[in-house]
Amino acid sequence: MHVPLWGWALFLVAIVGCFRIDLAFGHRGDQPVTLREAAIWSGIWAAVGLAFTGVVAAVAGAESAGEYLAGFLIEKSLSVDNVFAFAMIFGYFAVPAAAQHRALLYGVLGALVLRGAFIAAGASLLAAFHWTIWVLGAVLVGTGIRMAVHDGGEVHPERNPVLRLLRRVVPMRADYVGDRLWSGRAATPLLGVLVAVATTDVLFAVDSVPAVFAVTRDTFVVFAANAFSVLGLRPMYFLLAGAMERFGKLKYGLSAVLVFVGAKMLLADVLYVSVWVSLLVIAVLLGVSVLASLRNARPISSTPERNGAAMSAPPSTPSTTDPAVGGPAPVRGRLQIRFHVSVVVAVGLISVLLGSSVLPRSVPGLSGISYAVAAVLGAALFLASVVAHELAHALLARRNGVPVTGVTLWALGGSTELAGEPATPGAQFRIAGVGPLVSAVIGLVLVALALVSSGLLSAVLGWTGVTNGVLAVFNVLPGAPLDGGRLVAAGVWKRTGDRARGTAAAAKAGRLVGLLVLAAGAVEAVLGSVAGGLWLMLIGWFLTATARMEGVRVQVSGALHGLQADAVMTPGAAAPGWLTVETFLERVVQPTRATVFALSAFDGSPAGVVSLPQLTAVPLEQRSAVRTLAVATPISALGTVKPTDLADDLPARMGAGAVLVVADGAVVGLITPNELSRAVALRPPSTKGEVRE
């Protein structure tokens, strides 16, 4: 996209004008920015940025417009990190609310100038040295992985070298003077805030600018995407700064986007991915992560306390135990479907595979946008079929009297979380077999529909149908943790009358299946596709590791044979879950060395479990307002037993890391993996159950 010098000048004047409008009308007077005001101006600037897509399309065509839109989405999403950094800086400097809008505006304007320098340097390097694309791609992949595996870095303004230099050479007052930068011959702390904001944003630009170069090499498009995304940061801060915890999953979507665009740069010489496929993948990854964040967000109570006790009782968490006997959760009730963050990566990979390889080969000659839309629909259809597979397990388990706490989907498939064991071999056989049966039926139906369809619809239906068939066959392989392993366990249980022996046989078979898949992956990597071979090896490793864990669980169950839950548990009543995190840490945690605590609702019923890491993860400034139940693992995700229940099944109930022991509607004890290990270690060898494989 060739833009003459006067075009650049006109665009810069327009951007500066937008900033002036934001300063003049986005906030008036010295009053703090209201949520309504922030929402309105966030919407206005987002609309302006999106509307510029039409300008690019009119001047340079649809391809450049798609590149701009993809870059704008990436930058706008990554700007959420800037919002978090702004919140940390403002907290460190104790910036008054009335001065924050000016600090943001001037700081962001300075950061935009510095980003422009980054963009100019990056464009020059890419034009002069082809290997630069590999360096930038590696940086993006590394940044994406780091973002996914770290809980989030803290901003430390006191370590900012530019700010430290400023404090040495410029006299600075200790107090703020409205929103002024200078007072007399001394600077106010607001000048230091501006320096911290601008330099911190440059650090984020090291990640975000290369991300846009991954979708376009057009310098104007890169700068425009950065400019319009930065333009809305001021109102976005006031809109989101108080609700950042509601977007906890967004970082995984951003991580997947960075890894995707970084891989796209690394493979640019051997794999072409159209801008429309890239745009759809980016939109899906970000959309799924936002929806997952909002779905999993927990409300935070800000009800004040008097003398450490709640002034008003919070809504009590419904107990999933029988109040009379403290038995397991009822088999009826709302079934939770949860999406692990790795699903975002899986959806993106499937979309890329379909849009850049499978569909163009099956139906050649169509536009990139057609392949992109069909690819996303195909990925969504496959995800829906996996949900159907797991729901079949869950619903039949409930029908056979087995409590189900929920279904979790992740990159390699899904899992149905049972809060108990089937009562008979037949029930276990039916629960395990219904999943592959549903996948096979879905596969046959989709293939039949593909045969009577045409074009892209036929290709998408056919691929999804065949993939479901492969999923059904793979799941009946005879080894844990696959459904086929459960079928083997049910058969051995039926023949020998020993549940533990059946589970041990399935675990042993699972290790063998995992090793075979690992070997097949190694052969595929050497003789065929490296990527396909590595994927098979990953699956084989997972099967082997999970089967080994299943074997350990069986051995622990055998060692606990004959014990009751009250002989294993740590006795004690539940702590009040309605206390704030600050009060809970002071009154409950500090007097003891325990790290996991059972919680009760205001009416005394079991409400959940909280661990020390969950409590300390709450920021210091929020601990006086956040209630402990808001960060705890709820009762619906936990296993519960009576004191007289046998301990054999306790390892199977440890999915959430703890089991509550309940009697007469109240918690009387807590069992964690530590209690199980202690009970096994203290039992005399002659009394431990023996499991024969």
Side-chain angles (χ1 to χ4, degrees):
M1 179 179 177
H2 175 69
V3 179
L5 186 61
W6 64 265
W8 276 94
L10 182 62
F11 179 77
L12 291 174
V13 169
I15 290 296
V16 172
C18 288
F19 274 100
R20 291 297 303 169
I21 292 172
D22 193 38
L23 178 61
F25 299 102
H27 177 75
R28 296 184 178 183
D30 296 328
Q31 297 301 314
V33 178
T34 66
L35 185 63
R36 179 176 180 273
E37 185 181 26
I40 291 174
W41 282 99
S42 293
I44 289 175
W45 296 127
V48 169
L50 291 172
F52 192 72
T53 307
V55 176
V56 177
V59 174
E63 188 77 7
S64 293
E67 293 174 351
Y68 165 78
L69 186 56
F72 176 73
L73 286 177
I74 292 174
E75 290 298 321
K76 199 68 175 176
S77 302
L78 289 171
S79 63
V80 175
D81 271 352
N82 294 77
V83 170
F84 175 75
F86 293 160
M88 297 290 292
I89 291 171
F90 288 171
Y92 173 81
F93 284 98
V95 182
Q100 289 181 4
H101 72 286
R102 186 174 294 272
L104 282 168
L105 190 63
Y106 288 151
V108 169
L109 186 60
L112 180 60
V113 174
L114 295 172
R115 283 192 180 206
F118 266 89
I119 292 169
S124 300
L125 287 173
L126 285 170
F129 306 104
H130 178 72
W131 52 263
T132 307
I133 190 175
W134 300 328
V135 175
L136 295 179
V139 168
L140 290 173
V141 171
T143 302
I145 294 173
R146 187 183 73 242
M147 183 182 292
V149 301
H150 285 75
D151 291 335
E154 295 183 357
V155 177
H156 298 280
E158 71 277 6
R159 301 177 188 173
N160 188 317
V162 179
L163 183 59
R164 293 166 67 180
L165 177 63
L166 177 71
R167 284 172 166 169
R168 287 198 186 103
V169 301
V170 177
M172 190 171 292
R173 294 171 55 100
D175 58 329
Y176 290 90
V177 183
D179 58 1
R180 294 169 60 183
L181 302 179
W182 294 87
S183 178
R185 295 185 177 182
T188 70
L190 193 59
L191 180 63
V193 174
L194 294 186
V195 172
V197 167
T199 53
T200 301
D201 190 76
V202 169
L203 297 178
F204 286 112
V206 174
D207 300 332
S208 61
V209 170
V212 187
F213 275 118
V215 295
T216 179
R217 308 291 173 80
D218 191 311
T219 306
F220 179 80
V221 170
V222 174
F223 182 76
N226 271 272
F228 280 114
S229 66
V230 170
L231 179 61
L233 275 183
R234 185 199 67 87
M236 184 188 291
Y237 166 79
F238 294 106
L239 182 65
L240 298 181
M244 289 303 298
E245 71 280 354
R246 295 185 64 85
F247 294 90
K249 304 293 185 184
L250 180 59
K251 75 168 187 175
Y252 298 106
L254 295 175
S255 169
V257 168
L258 291 178
V259 171
F260 167 69
V261 297
K264 184 172 177 286
M265 295 184 82
L266 291 172
L267 301 176
D269 293 336
V270 296
L271 176 64
Y272 171 73
V273 180
S274 74
V275 65
W276 297 108
V277 171
S278 298
L279 179 60
L280 264 293
V281 170
I282 291 167
V284 168
L285 292 175
L286 295 176
V288 170
S289 63
V290 169
L291 290 176
S293 297
L294 296 177
R295 178 181 177 85
N296 293 331
R298 291 172 174 170
I300 294 182
S301 170
S302 58
T303 305
E305 292 190 350
R306 182 184 290 121
N307 297 328
M311 293 178 63
S312 60
S316 59
T317 305
S319 172
T320 58
T321 61
D322 184 334
V325 297
V331 297
R332 301 297 176 189
R334 184 172 178 266
L335 187 64
Q336 294 184 347
I337 301 178
R338 292 177 285 270
F339 294 88
H340 188 267
V341 293
S342 60
V343 172
V344 177
V345 179
V347 169
L349 291 175
I350 293 173
S351 299
V352 171
L353 173 66
L354 289 173
S356 61
S357 178
V358 175
L359 298 180
R361 286 204 308 264
S362 302
V363 189
L366 300 180
S367 64
I369 186 64
S370 299
Y371 292 132
V373 172
V376 173
L377 292 177
L381 183 59
F382 176 71
L383 184 62
S385 65
V386 175
V387 172
H389 177 110
E390 296 301 331
L391 282 178
H393 286 308
L395 295 176
L396 194 58
R398 285 188 167 186
R399 186 176 180 85
N400 283 270
V402 180
V404 181
T405 59
V407 168
T408 299
L409 300 183
W410 53 295
L412 296 179
S415 62
T416 302
E417 297 157 9
L418 306 182
E421 294 282 358
T424 64
Q428 178 164 315
F429 188 91
R430 291 189 295 271
I431 294 170
V434 70
L437 178 62
V438 167
S439 293
V441 171
I442 291 175
L444 290 174
V445 171
L446 292 178
V447 169
L449 291 175
L451 294 176
V452 298
S453 305
S454 61
L456 277 178
L457 178 60
S458 176
V460 170
L461 293 174
W463 180 87
T464 311
V466 171
T467 304
N468 269 276
V470 173
L471 180 66
V473 173
F474 178 76
N475 268 284
V476 295
L477 291 178
L482 300 173
D483 296 328
R486 308 298 179 194
L487 297 176
V488 169
V492 175
W493 181 10
K494 172 86 171 168
R495 182 172 58 83
T496 64
D498 188 342
R499 184 210 300 266
R501 187 169 184 175
T503 306
K508 185 175 182 179
R511 293 195 295 271
L512 178 60
V513 170
L515 291 174
L516 291 175
V517 174
L518 266 172
V523 173
E524 174 69 13
V526 174
L527 302 180
S529 167
V530 175
L534 292 176
W535 182 252
L536 280 177
M537 292 175 69
L538 175 63
I539 294 175
W541 168 82
F542 166 76
L543 292 177
T544 304
T546 309
R548 185 176 293 110
M549 290 173 59
E550 187 80 0
V552 171
R553 185 179 70 83
V554 173
Q555 292 176 357
V556 173
S557 295
L560 295 173
H561 182 68
L563 289 178
Q564 293 185 165
D566 57 1
V568 178
M569 70 182 189
T570 295
W578 64 87
L579 296 178
T580 65
V581 171
E582 182 179 66
T583 304
F584 194 91
L585 287 169
E586 179 182 341
R587 295 186 179 181
V588 180
V589 177
Q590 289 185 4
T592 179
R593 294 184 179 181
T595 58
V596 182
F597 305 88
L599 300 177
S600 64
F602 197 72
D603 62 357
S605 62
V609 166
V610 70
S611 65
L612 187 57
Q614 288 174 310
L615 293 167
T616 55
V618 180
L620 286 172
E621 64 274 11
Q622 297 182 22
R623 291 181 183 178
S624 61
V626 179
R627 296 191 184 277
T628 303
L629 278 176
V631 299
T633 303
I635 185 70
S636 58
L638 297 168
T640 58
V641 296
K642 294 182 292 184
T644 55
D645 284 345
L646 292 177
D648 303 44
D649 293 338
L650 287 176
R653 296 174 178 265
M654 284 288 168
V659 172
L660 293 177
V661 184
V662 180
D664 298 325
V667 174
V668 296
L670 179 67
I671 300 174
T672 68
N674 289 335
E675 277 75 24
L676 296 184
S677 299
R678 183 174 182 274
V680 171
L682 292 178
R683 291 206 77 186
S686 60
T687 64
K688 296 181 181 180
E690 183 178 337
V691 178
R692 299 177 301 277
E693 296 191 10

